[in-house]
């Protein structure tokens, strides 16, 4: 089929390809600019001192670079010429891509001018949008190229290295260098370039006049029109949301501002020739202070516009307009956008709640969802852009919003809802296309007065494709693909928008309206993700980390916004969309930035939640401590004496509140600190549980895990802090008190973990198991280490020195009073209750660690005993052989080295140690214990005959000690004792000890 010449221009295809290519080249130039401006990534040769003179010469002589004539200056490059050429090749090729892109843009713009294309955003939407996108991309590329300070060095150095390597320079160098020189003053050059294209650009921009005025309204106007409200017109709630300009309804206001301001910046002549252009231009200037070139590269539009127009003749009035618009923007743009954000929070919240409750409304009202996403995205982007670029302002509150998290959260909820109801959208719009859109299009085609053959074939194919849909495709999960249909519609727009078109589109607005609506409906079937990205992509915020962190911190300080704080980590999932296939080098850096931001946000949320939970645990612990027995002594004492109670009241002493007094309230409006903590925890739990997981650059992020890991770490530290251990003073809390505190912590954590969506069993097992080990997961000391060190180093060491003695009746240690020293209340740490509490705290592993260390200490004491035995070996042997000779024994006993410490424990020590030692040396325990009993009895009997009172003063106590040895042993009996030691002496010893005890207790006369 032969096509007319206008069809062979392929305007639609070229606009599509050039826009995509231009975006890639723009990203590469941005990457070069950032790489060369940051010291960490700057090419090494640019900072090489050896090449400093050569680089200075290249920059000064550019583009007149002849390595042969400047051999002395460029000699340092000769050494590394191959490496330099290889390193700089990607940079040089990128600049060549800019040159090539410029050539293609020139050609296409000239073709469009020659074809006298008609642009109207309401009719040929794709054609007009692609044309304005191309203009804005080209202008942004040139401006960004001019901002790349090292462009001359990169191009010139590569040219020299290439010529040194190959003997000749790159053939494209001359044109490339000329382009770089031309764009040293980019705005003037662009104004010259776009002079012939002013008519086309201004006509495309003027088609935005009505749309921009309708979209660029204040919150009060939105409120009067009930924008985005489904409840305002209840009667039409079930009717499909439609418009004569569907795609224009969710077209970004920021994009339109960019088109207008950059378009008139390069076509200033239109401002003096058209009042409508002036009005549109002034409206755009009043709404923003910065226009995005790419990502965080922005243009201070009033400043550059004033400088450009001031350098041109006949634009004095326009310069005055710029100044007036700047003053208006500075004074009112912040409050304007703040009001819009406030309105959108309420309107979008209502829309989401209604669609969440009635998902069936989503299909007919899908347009409202994309409009809401687009409006919200524009306001968030404006806030981040101005917060990042406005440094000095009298109204800082205009560029800070502590409630922006709710807007971000609502955007995520609408996106999630659209994805969840994807099947609903397919089941609704598939038959809608076949049974309504196809019929309407067919009727419109039949009503055309003139329809040429080529256009008729294309339109008829649209009707056939849509009518072929049966509606079952959605139920059968078939994949739709209407990209070919939409591309044909784009081509048809190009064919029918030229000056001598056989079917002028401007004369057939009904065709454009129906096909634009059909294009939107097909996107709902096969390109839902593309629509969501087009209307709600916030990936550019990846390049505003500092403003994002400030907004996040402001959100965390606003209690009512805590439930939405997870919107900031979710925002990081958008950042993968800012990558481009033409610049894979920046992927690792963008990935690290996105993951780093996400991690910081989640760690801060987890830190806040942990802080609230542990503070609540501390308060609960404080309340539980009020119930300890030691705190009730004062209350019991006062209850025992009414007089003392009255006396205390007379003296004005403040009565101590009884446990439970904190629960008494006069009304519910009075809130305690514990109430506020629970409220904060509830808000944070709502946020953390709103999304179980999400993906950032392919990494699955689970918010609850951040909370779990941080809570585990901080709970471990809090439990160790309960012991209150002070290594300098050897102070530590009683195990029973620590166990009580641990129980209160555990009970509250168990309750709150259910609210926070955590597994309390796994958390507490991990935390408590760490306390049974010498070191926790972070390498810090645990309760096991603390109490093992304290019991062995503080308590047992004092017992060894005689400061403490065991009290069998109390089953605990008691301190020996000493003058000038505060005694250690050892009974509070060593009784049965404390030992049981200690065993519960440390668990089996911890008790084994304590036992192993205790046995090491016992072993060291046994080693000391062995030393004593070794020192007295000769004397002990002589004593054993002199058992029947009292005179010799009496002479040998004073030669022994003895220690008067805890003598009442000797019986147990003798029996236990003897059993262990005799077992280790394979000796008969009973035989040797009988021998010991005979020797001890003989020694005591001889002591009874001693006339010296000083030597026999403890005779009765020692006699009772002998009886205790027999009682402790399972091998010795009283019969054995009586066979070698008269029972009458035992009875006499008991009587004497009892008499002395009674005399010691008697009051003095």
């Amino acid at each position: 089929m032969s096509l007319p010449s206008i069809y062979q221009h392929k305007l639609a295809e070229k606009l599509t390809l050039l826009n995509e290519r231009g975006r890639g080249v723009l990203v590469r130039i941005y990457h070069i600019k950032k790489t060369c401006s940051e010291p960490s990534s700057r090419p090494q040769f640019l900072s090489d001192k050896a090449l400093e003179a050569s680089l200075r010469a290249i920059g000064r002589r550019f583009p007149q670079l002849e390595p042969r004539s400047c051999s002395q200056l460029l000699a340092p490059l000769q050494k590394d010429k191959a490496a330099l050429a290889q390193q700089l090749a990607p940079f040089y090729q990128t600049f060549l891509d800019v040159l090539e892109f410029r050539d293609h843009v020139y050609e296409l713009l000239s073709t469009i001018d020659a074809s006298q294309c008609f642009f109207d955003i309401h009719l040929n939407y794709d054609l007009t949008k692609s044309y304005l996108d191309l203009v804005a991309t080209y202008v942004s590329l040139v401006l960004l190229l001019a901002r790349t300070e090292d462009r001359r060095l990169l191009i010139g150095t590569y040219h020299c290295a290439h010529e040194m390597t190959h003997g000749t320079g790159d053939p494209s160098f001359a044109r490339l260098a000329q382009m770089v020189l031309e764009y040293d003053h980019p705005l003037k050059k662009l104004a010259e370039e776009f002079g012939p294209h002013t008519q086309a650009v201004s006509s495309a921009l003027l088609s935005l006049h009505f749309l921009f005025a309708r979209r660029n309204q204040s919150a009060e106007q939105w409120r009067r029109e009930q924008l985005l409200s489904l409840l305002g017109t209840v009667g039409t709630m079930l009717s499909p949301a439609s418009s004569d300009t569907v795609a224009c309804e969710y077209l970004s206001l920021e994009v339109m501002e960019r088109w207008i301001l950059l378009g008139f910046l390069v076509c200033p002549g239109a401002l003096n020739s058209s009042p409508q252009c002036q009005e549109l231009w002034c409206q755009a200037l009043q709404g923003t202070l910065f226009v995005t070139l790419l990502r965080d590269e922005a243009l201070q539009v009033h400043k550059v516009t004033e400088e450009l127009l001031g350098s041109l003749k006949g634009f004095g009035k326009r310069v005055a307009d710029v100044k007036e618009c700047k003053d208006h923007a500075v004074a009112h743009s912040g409050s304007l956008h703040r009001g819009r954000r406030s309105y959108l929070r309420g309107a979008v919240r209502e829309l989401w709640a209604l669609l969440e409750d009635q998902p069936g409304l989503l299909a007919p009202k899908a347009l409202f969802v994309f409009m809401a996403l687009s409006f919200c995205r524009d306001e968030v982007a404006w806030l981040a852009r101005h917060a990042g670029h406005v440094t000095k302002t009298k109204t800082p509150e205009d560029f800070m919003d502590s409630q922006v998290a709710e807007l971000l959260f609502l955007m995520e909820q609408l996106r999630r809802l659209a994805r969840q109801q994807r099947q609903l959208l397919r089941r609704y719009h598939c038959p809608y296309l076949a049974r309504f859109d196809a019929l309407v299009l067919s009727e419109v085609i039949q009503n055309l007065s003139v329809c040429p053959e080529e256009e008729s074939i294309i339109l008829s194919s649209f009707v056939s494709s849509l009518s072929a849909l049966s509606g079952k495709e959605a139920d059968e999960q078939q994949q739709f693909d209407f990209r070919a249909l939409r591309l044909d519609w784009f081509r048809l727009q190009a064919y029918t928008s030229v000056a001598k078109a056989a079917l002028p589109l401007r004369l057939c607005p009904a065709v454009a309206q129906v096909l634009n609506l059909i294009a939107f409906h097909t996107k709902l079937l096969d390109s839902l993700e593309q629509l969501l990205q087009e209307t709600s992509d916030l990936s550019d915020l990846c390049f505003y980390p500092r403003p994002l962190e400030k907004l996040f911190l402001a959100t965390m300080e606003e209690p009512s916004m805590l439930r939405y704080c997870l919107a900031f980590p979710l925002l990081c999932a958008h950042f993968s969309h800012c990558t481009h296939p033409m610049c894979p080098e920046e992927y690792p850096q963008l990935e690290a930035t996105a993951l780093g931001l996400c991690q910081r946000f989640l760690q801060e949320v987890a830190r806040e939640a942990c802080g609230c939970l542990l503070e609540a645990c501390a308060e609960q612990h404080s309340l539980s401590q009020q119930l300890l027995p030691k705190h009730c002594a004062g209350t019991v004492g006062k209850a025992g004496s009414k007089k003392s109670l009255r006396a205390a009241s007379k003296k004005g002493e403040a009565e101590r509140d009884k446990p439970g007094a904190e629960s008494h309230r006069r009304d519910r409006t009075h809130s305690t600190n514990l109430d506020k903590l629970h409220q904060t925890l509830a808000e944070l739990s709502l946020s953390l549980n709103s999304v179980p997981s999400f993906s950032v650059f392919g990494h699955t992020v689970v918010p609850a895990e951040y909370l779990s890991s941080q809570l585990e770490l901080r709970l471990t530290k809090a439990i160790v802090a309960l012991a209150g251990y002070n290594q300098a003073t050897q102070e530590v809390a009683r195990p029973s008190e620590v166990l009580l505190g641990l129980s209160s912590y555990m009970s509250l954590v168990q309750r709150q973990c259910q609210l926070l969506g955590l597994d309390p069993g796994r958390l507490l097992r991990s935390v408590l198991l760490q306390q049974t080990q010498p070191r926790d997961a972070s390498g810090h000391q645990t309760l096991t280490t603390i109490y093992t060190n304290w019991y062995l180093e503080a308590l047992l060491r004092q017992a060894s020195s005689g400061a403490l003695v065991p009290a069998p009746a109390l089953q605990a240690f008691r301190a020996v009073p000493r003058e000038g020293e505060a005694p250690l209340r050892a009974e509070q740490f060593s009784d049965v209750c404390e030992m049981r509490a200690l065993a519960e705290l440390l668990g089996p592993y911890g008790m084994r660690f304590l036992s192993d260390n205790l046995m090491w200490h016992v072993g060291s004491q046994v080693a000391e005993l062995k030393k004593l035995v070794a020192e007295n070996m000769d004397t002990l042997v002589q004593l054993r052989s002199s058992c029947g000779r009292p005179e010799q024994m009496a002479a040998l006993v004073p030669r022994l080295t003895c220690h008067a410490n805890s003598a009442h424990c000797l019986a147990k020590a003798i029996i236990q140690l003897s059993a262990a030692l005799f077992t280790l040396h394979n000796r008969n325990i009973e035989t040797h214990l009988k021998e010991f009993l005979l020797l001890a009895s003989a020694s005591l009997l001889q002591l009874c005959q001693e006339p010296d009172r000083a030597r026999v003063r403890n005779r009765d106590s020692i006699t009772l000690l002998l009886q205790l040895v027999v009682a402790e042993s399972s091998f010795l009996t009283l019969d054995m004792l009586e066979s070698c030691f008269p029972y009458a002496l035992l009875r006499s010893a008991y009587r004497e000890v009892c008499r002395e005890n009674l005399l010691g207790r008697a009051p003095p006369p």
Side-chain angles (χ1 to χ4, degrees):
M1 181 177 61
S2 62
L3 296 174
S5 60
I6 189 62
Y7 297 165
Q8 296 177 357
H9 290 321
K10 298 186 181 299
L11 298 181
E13 292 86 343
K14 290 181 179 180
L15 282 170
T16 302
L17 294 175
L18 279 180
N19 271 314
E20 181 61 26
R21 179 72 173 179
R23 174 75 180 181
V25 175
L26 191 58
V27 169
R28 288 206 59 84
I29 290 294
Y30 175 91
H31 179 64
I32 291 176
K33 180 181 182 297
K34 293 298 182 182
T35 300
C36 295
S37 61
E38 296 178 5
S40 59
S41 59
R42 185 176 174 83
Q44 186 177 1
F45 81 92
L46 291 176
S47 306
D48 193 344
K49 294 294 184 181
L51 302 178
E52 186 175 351
S54 300
L55 296 178
R56 192 163 50 246
I58 291 174
R60 185 174 61 252
R61 294 172 177 266
F62 185 89
Q64 304 299 327
L65 300 175
E66 293 294 337
R68 296 173 185 175
S69 61
C70 306
S71 57
Q72 186 174 359
L73 285 173
L74 302 180
L77 299 178
Q78 186 71 31
K79 180 181 179 181
D80 300 322
K81 57 185 178 182
L84 283 174
Q86 183 180 4
Q87 183 181 5
L88 292 174
F91 297 95
Y92 188 80
Q93 188 59 48
T94 299
F95 292 116
L96 285 182
D97 290 341
V98 176
L99 180 62
E100 180 188 11
F101 178 71
R102 186 184 74 159
D103 294 341
H104 288 296
V105 171
Y106 278 0
E107 179 185 354
L108 183 57
L109 292 181
S110 298
T111 302
I112 291 175
D113 287 342
S115 302
Q116 299 180 13
C117 286
F118 155 74
F119 295 107
D120 189 339
I121 196 70
H122 304 94
L123 299 180
N124 50 8
Y125 174 83
D126 297 309
L127 182 64
T128 305
K129 181 179 184 297
S130 298
Y131 178 75
L132 292 175
D133 276 340
L134 183 63
V135 171
T137 300
Y138 178 69
V139 174
S140 300
L141 179 60
V142 171
L143 293 177
L144 199 58
L145 176 65
R147 291 186 177 189
T148 307
E149 297 180 355
D150 295 314
R151 60 189 182 279
R152 293 191 178 192
L153 287 179
L154 296 174
I155 297 172
T157 306
Y158 175 82
H159 169 70
C160 294
H162 187 278
E163 185 169 343
M164 290 176 181
T165 305
H166 300 90
T168 180
D170 185 79
S172 303
F173 172 73
R175 291 190 64 230
L176 181 58
Q178 182 61 31
M179 182 191 72
V180 171
L181 291 178
E182 289 175 353
Y183 291 140
D184 279 346
H185 302 285
L187 291 177
K188 288 186 178 181
K189 180 60 179 175
L190 285 171
E192 294 175 6
E193 290 178 354
F194 275 87
H197 313 305
T198 300
Q199 179 61 35
V201 174
S202 61
S203 65
L205 293 176
L206 277 178
S207 70
L208 300 173
H209 190 277
F210 174 75
L211 175 62
F212 186 77
R214 182 164 59 89
R215 289 286 304 279
N216 190 28
Q217 294 180 344
S218 65
E220 289 74 15
Q221 292 171 305
W222 282 358
R223 193 169 287 108
R224 285 195 298 268
E225 296 174 3
Q226 295 186 333
L227 184 70
L228 301 178
S229 176
L230 297 181
L231 301 178
T233 54
V234 180
T236 61
M237 184 175 290
L238 298 179
S239 302
S242 183
S243 171
D244 293 339
T245 56
V246 175
C248 296
E249 301 300 330
Y250 56 82
L251 179 60
S252 171
L253 183 64
E254 179 189 1
V255 169
M256 287 192 283
E257 284 180 343
R258 184 168 178 256
W259 289 345
I260 295 167
L261 295 174
L262 293 183
F264 287 127
L265 189 63
V266 297
C267 299
L271 298 176
N272 282 339
S273 60
S274 173
Q276 287 186 326
C277 289
Q278 293 178 26
E279 183 182 355
L280 180 62
W281 177 63
C282 289
Q283 287 179 0
L285 284 174
Q286 291 174 358
T288 187
L289 298 172
F290 292 89
V291 172
T292 301
L293 297 179
L294 180 71
R295 298 173 174 173
D296 61 335
E297 289 291 331
L299 190 69
Q300 196 169 356
V301 62
H302 299 90
K303 179 181 178 181
V304 297
T305 304
E306 184 178 347
E307 291 175 355
L308 175 64
L309 297 182
S311 64
L312 301 177
K313 293 182 179 181
F315 287 87
K317 292 183 178 180
R318 302 292 80 80
V319 172
D321 291 340
V322 173
K323 293 180 179 179
E324 182 180 350
C325 292
K326 180 182 179 180
D327 294 339
H328 184 278
V330 170
H332 301 100
S333 64
S335 58
L336 172 70
H337 288 274
R338 187 169 64 249
R340 287 179 183 174
R341 293 194 300 272
S342 177
Y343 175 82
L344 286 173
R345 282 195 298 271
V348 178
R349 188 191 311 120
E350 176 190 299
L351 177 65
W352 169 67
L354 188 58
L355 295 179
E356 182 81 9
D357 184 63
Q358 299 294 330
L361 289 175
L362 177 62
K365 302 298 183 183
L367 180 60
F368 279 77
V369 172
F370 297 108
M371 289 171 59
L373 289 174
S374 179
F375 294 171
C376 293
R377 190 267 312 274
D378 286 339
E379 295 308 317
V380 172
W382 185 94
L383 178 64
R385 183 169 69 253
H386 286 75
H389 291 287
V390 176
T391 55
K392 296 181 180 179
T393 176
K394 296 180 180 179
T395 56
E397 66 277 4
D398 289 343
F399 309 107
M400 180 55 60
D401 189 351
S402 61
Q403 297 180 325
V404 73
E406 183 178 4
L407 208 56
L408 293 171
F409 183 81
L410 291 171
M411 289 178 66
E412 290 298 331
Q413 293 296 68
L414 286 180
R415 289 163 59 94
R416 178 189 60 82
L417 184 63
R419 292 190 180 105
Q420 285 181 347
Q421 303 300 331
R422 184 191 302 267
Q423 185 62 18
L424 173 65
L425 293 171
R426 290 162 58 93
R427 288 167 57 190
Y428 181 88
H429 287 96
C430 182
Y432 194 97
L433 281 167
R435 300 170 191 171
F436 182 81
D437 287 339
L439 297 178
V440 173
L441 179 59
S442 177
E443 182 180 352
V444 169
I445 295 172
Q446 292 175 5
N447 292 334
L448 290 176
S449 58
V450 177
C451 187
E453 181 182 358
E454 302 298 340
E455 284 77 0
S456 178
I457 292 174
I458 296 176
L459 293 173
S460 299
S461 68
F462 293 163
V463 176
S464 300
S465 300
L466 299 177
S467 301
L469 297 173
S470 63
K472 296 181 180 179
E473 294 88 350
D475 295 330
E476 295 173 358
Q477 301 293 324
Q478 294 185 13
Q479 294 296 324
F480 293 102
D481 188 356
F482 294 100
R483 288 177 296 177
L485 185 148
R486 291 193 293 270
L487 181 57
D488 284 342
W489 167 224
F490 191 1
R491 289 169 175 156
L492 185 61
Q493 293 177 44
Y495 302 158
T496 58
S497 298
V498 296
K500 297 180 181 180
L503 178 66
L505 191 61
R506 69 171 71 193
L507 301 179
C508 308
V511 175
Q513 293 168 5
V514 174
L515 285 174
N516 283 332
L517 183 61
I518 289 173
F520 173 68
H521 290 162
T522 57
K523 287 181 180 179
L524 292 175
L525 295 181
D526 66 348
S527 303
L528 182 61
E529 283 298 326
Q530 179 184 345
L531 264 178
L532 290 174
Q533 184 174 346
E534 180 184 349
T535 55
S536 61
D537 177 45
L538 289 167
S539 58
D540 283 352
L541 298 190
C542 178
F543 304 94
Y544 292 99
R546 186 56 186 156
L548 270 186
E549 290 177 347
K550 288 182 178 179
L551 290 171
F552 174 74
L553 293 177
T555 297
M556 297 301 292
E557 294 174 359
E558 183 69 31
S560 62
M561 291 292 111
L562 289 177
R563 64 175 62 191
Y564 307 117
C565 62
L566 197 66
F568 285 93
L570 291 175
L571 184 62
C572 299
H574 293 240
F575 295 167
S576 59
H577 298 150
C578 64
T579 59
H580 197 278
M582 286 185 63
C583 192
E585 302 95 323
E586 64 177 3
Y587 186 92
Q589 182 181 358
L590 295 177
E591 179 184 22
T593 301
L595 291 174
L597 268 178
C598 181
Q599 186 174 9
R600 288 198 292 273
F601 290 150
L602 286 173
Q603 285 178 344
E604 181 62 24
V605 175
R607 188 194 65 80
E608 185 72 18
C610 289
C612 289
L613 180 57
L614 293 180
E615 189 175 349
C617 288
E619 290 225 5
Q620 196 69 31
H621 177 218
S622 176
L623 294 176
S624 64
Q625 278 191 319
Q626 295 179 15
L627 300 176
L628 290 174
K630 66 180 182 180
H631 292 308
C632 69
T635 304
V636 172
K638 289 181 180 180
S641 174
K642 294 183 179 180
K643 292 182 179 181
S644 62
L645 187 61
R646 287 195 296 269
S649 61
K650 288 180 181 179
K651 293 179 181 179
E653 296 179 0
E655 292 191 13
R656 181 173 173 268
D657 291 337
K658 295 181 180 179
E662 71 281 348
S663 299
H664 298 164
R665 311 185 191 209
R666 294 182 178 179
D667 52 56
R668 183 62 252 185
T669 59
H670 174 70
S671 60
T672 64
N673 186 44
L674 204 55
D675 294 332
K676 296 175 182 177
L677 292 174
H678 281 292
Q679 178 67 22
T680 302
L681 273 176
E683 297 288 334
L684 290 172
S685 67
L686 283 175
S687 182
L688 289 169
N689 294 327
S690 60
V691 178
S693 65
F694 58 96
S695 178
V696 178
F697 273 88
H699 298 263
T700 301
V701 180
V702 183
E705 286 300 318
Y706 280 83
L707 176 59
S708 179
S709 60
Q710 193 160 144
L711 184 58
E712 178 181 328
L713 180 64
R714 296 186 62 179
L715 187 58
T716 300
K717 294 180 179 180
I719 289 175
V720 172
L722 289 176
Y725 180 58
N726 188 326
Q727 190 173 4
T729 61
Q730 288 295 318
E731 295 179 357
V732 73
R734 297 170 62 179
S736 59
E737 295 181 2
V738 176
L739 182 61
L740 178 66
L742 181 60
S743 300
S744 64
Y745 268 62
M746 288 175 59
S747 61
L748 186 60
V749 168
Q750 283 179 324
R751 294 195 303 269
Q752 296 300 326
C753 278
Q754 297 176 356
L755 180 67
L756 295 170
L758 301 180
D759 182 1
R762 190 191 75 169
L763 175 66
L764 293 177
R765 279 194 300 270
S766 176
V767 170
L768 295 180
L769 278 175
Q770 290 183 52
Q771 297 305 311
T772 66
Q773 304 298 320
R775 295 286 173 179
D776 61 17
S778 302
H780 299 111
Q781 63 181 4
T782 61
L783 292 179
T784 295
T785 305
I786 290 173
Y787 279 108
T788 297
N789 292 338
W790 189 86
Y791 273 98
L792 299 183
E793 299 296 332
L795 192 141
L796 287 185
R797 191 174 295 278
Q798 292 197 36
S800 302
S801 64
L804 302 178
V805 294
L810 298 176
Q811 294 185 330
F813 281 94
R814 289 295 301 270
V816 176
R818 293 181 179 180
E819 293 183 4
E821 294 184 10
L824 174 67
R825 309 199 63 174
E827 67 276 7
Q828 295 184 355
F829 293 88
S830 57
D831 63 5
V832 175
C833 292
E834 297 299 329
M835 291 297 101
R836 287 175 180 168
L838 182 66
E840 285 193 56
L841 283 176
L842 306 190
Y845 295 111
M847 292 304 293
R848 180 173 180 177
F849 179 79
L850 175 62
S851 300
D852 291 343
N853 282 270
L854 177 61
M855 291 307 299
W856 182 88
H857 280 265
V858 170
S860 64
Q861 295 297 324
V862 171
E864 293 296 325
L865 290 177
K866 289 175 66 177
K867 290 180 182 179
L868 288 176
V869 172
E871 292 174 3
N872 297 276
M873 180 61 72
D874 295 339
T875 305
L876 291 174
V877 172
Q878 294 178 29
L879 280 172
R880 183 177 181 184
S881 60
S882 305
C883 182
R885 296 187 287 274
E887 295 81 4
Q888 293 185 11
M889 291 186 66
L892 291 172
V893 168
R895 294 164 56 184
L896 292 175
T897 303
C898 301
H899 292 270
N901 177 28
S902 302
H904 59 291
C905 298
L906 280 175
K908 185 178 289 292
I910 291 170
I911 295 304
Q912 298 295 333
L913 285 176
S914 62
L917 293 174
F918 293 149
T919 300
L920 287 174
H921 294 280
N922 295 321
R923 302 296 179 89
N924 189 287
I925 301 175
E926 184 175 356
T927 301
H928 286 281
L929 284 179
K930 286 180 180 179
E931 183 181 356
F932 168 78
L933 186 62
L934 288 173
L935 291 173
S937 300
S939 300
L940 281 176
L941 290 174
Q942 293 173 6
L943 190 62
C944 293
Q945 300 174 4
E946 179 65 44
D948 188 357
R949 288 185 174 274
R951 296 185 60 186
V952 299
R953 66 179 184 207
N954 293 325
R955 179 187 60 192
D956 296 325
S957 299
I958 298 174
T959 301
L960 297 182
L961 180 62
L962 183 63
Q963 193 268 338
L964 288 177
V965 171
V966 175
E968 286 286 341
S969 175
S970 58
F971 298 97
L972 301 178
T973 63
L974 289 176
D975 293 337
M976 294 179 184
L977 177 62
E978 193 169 359
S979 66
C980 57
F981 192 84
Y983 187 75
L985 292 179
L986 281 175
R987 188 170 55 250
S988 175
Y990 270 113
R991 185 171 59 252
E992 288 298 323
V993 169
C994 183
R995 185 177 66 81
E996 290 181 4
N997 187 30
L998 292 175
L999 289 176
R1001 292 182 179 182

